[in-house]
């Protein structure tokens, strides 16, 4: 079975920070596949700030095209209701020894607010990827509280973190500023063609 990492998120929009993180993690963990899973309805984000799920899925496809270890799943785009990670991992049906879930360090510290966090840890090995310069301490009280609750120590992978944020990209589009060199040209073209992120709520 292929060693597969699930990389979920709103990808609103996807940018080079996401792509570099995925590439370096694939190398570090000797993964066969990084499966990008755009969330249709992220439970912890306001839908008012999101581009349509179909557009975000298409942008991820454009951004990852040509990378031999990258693939994109529309499993959450097709599924009705909130996009819960536990449902996605169960639907994929990959054995736990071959399945990894990539999460940021801030997300890991908030992991107990997710739906069925203990079941998630039984379905996949949790990989925490801290931001560059992050003060994340896997032995700290906050992280250890999560570990005690889910019954699993996460893998901690430190990779290059680019100072790019999706919220800054959306703001730049609204303000008519450059987003060059921050995301693939094909994604930029899609944003412009579809008129994404021009409104204040996006």
């Amino acid at each position: 079975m292929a060693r597969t990492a699930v990389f979920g998120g709103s990808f609103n929009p996807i940018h080079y920070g996401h792509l570099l993180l995925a590439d370096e993690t694939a190398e570090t963990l000797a993964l066969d596949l990084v499966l990008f899973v755009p969330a249709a309805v992220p439970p912890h984000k306001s839908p008012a700030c999101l581009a349509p799920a179909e557009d975000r899925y298409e942008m991820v496809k454009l951004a990852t095209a040509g990378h031999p270890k990258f693939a994109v799943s529309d499993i959450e785009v097709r599924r009705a209701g909130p996009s819960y990670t536990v449902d996605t991992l169960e639907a994929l049906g990959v054995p736990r020894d071959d399945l990894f879930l990539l999460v940021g360090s801030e997300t890991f510290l908030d992991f107990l607010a997710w739906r069925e966090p203990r079941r998630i840890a039984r379905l996949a090995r949790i990989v925490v990827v801290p931001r560059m310069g992050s003060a994340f301490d896997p032995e700290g009280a906050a992280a250890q509280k999560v570990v005690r609750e889910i019954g699993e120590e996460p893998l901690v992978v430190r990779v290059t973190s680019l100072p790019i944020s999706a919220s800054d990209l959306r703001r730049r589009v609204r303000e008519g500023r450059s987003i060059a060199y921050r995301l693939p040209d094909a994604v930029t073209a899609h944003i412009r063609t579809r008129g994404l992120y021009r409104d204040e709520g996006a």
Side-chain angles (χ1 to χ4, degrees), residues 142-160:
Q144 284 302 303
K145 179 183 178 183
V146 178
V147 169
R148 285 194 302 274
E149 287 291 328
I150 66 174
E152 294 286 342
E153 290 275 355
L155 296 170
V156 179
V157 175
R158 298 189 183 273
V159 300
T160 304

Side-chain angles (χ1 to χ4, degrees), residues 7-130:
F7 187 11
S10 54
F11 300 114
N12 189 41
I14 190 167
H15 53 69
Y16 281 133
H18 297 125
L19 297 168
L20 182 58
L21 181 156
D23 183 70
E24 289 201 2
T25 302
E27 187 174 66
T28 302
L29 297 180
L31 299 172
D32 299 301
L33 181 69
V34 177
L35 185 64
F36 289 74
V37 184
V41 186
H44 304 293
K45 292 195 177 180
S46 167
C49 298
L50 293 171
E54 294 77 10
D55 282 307
R56 291 183 286 107
Y57 170 71
E58 186 61 32
M59 287 189 285
V60 176
K61 282 182 63 180
L62 292 168
T64 57
H67 193 293
K69 292 189 175 183
F70 288 176
V72 189
S73 171
D74 65 353
I75 189 170
E76 293 186 357
V77 175
R78 288 186 284 105
R79 191 169 65 226
S83 302
Y84 292 117
T85 298
V86 66
D87 297 335
T88 298
L89 296 177
E90 285 187 324
L92 291 175
V94 178
R96 184 181 184 276
D97 285 349
D98 294 307
L99 187 60
F100 302 81
L101 176 66
L102 307 186
V103 298
S105 49
E106 297 91 346
T107 300
F108 180 73
L109 296 179
D110 193 42
F111 198 61
L112 299 181
W114 287 31
R115 171 170 285 200
E116 298 190 65
R118 296 169 194 81
R119 176 132 185 81
I120 291 174
R122 291 197 298 270
L123 289 166
R125 298 164 69 182
I126 310 299
V127 178
V128 177
V129 187

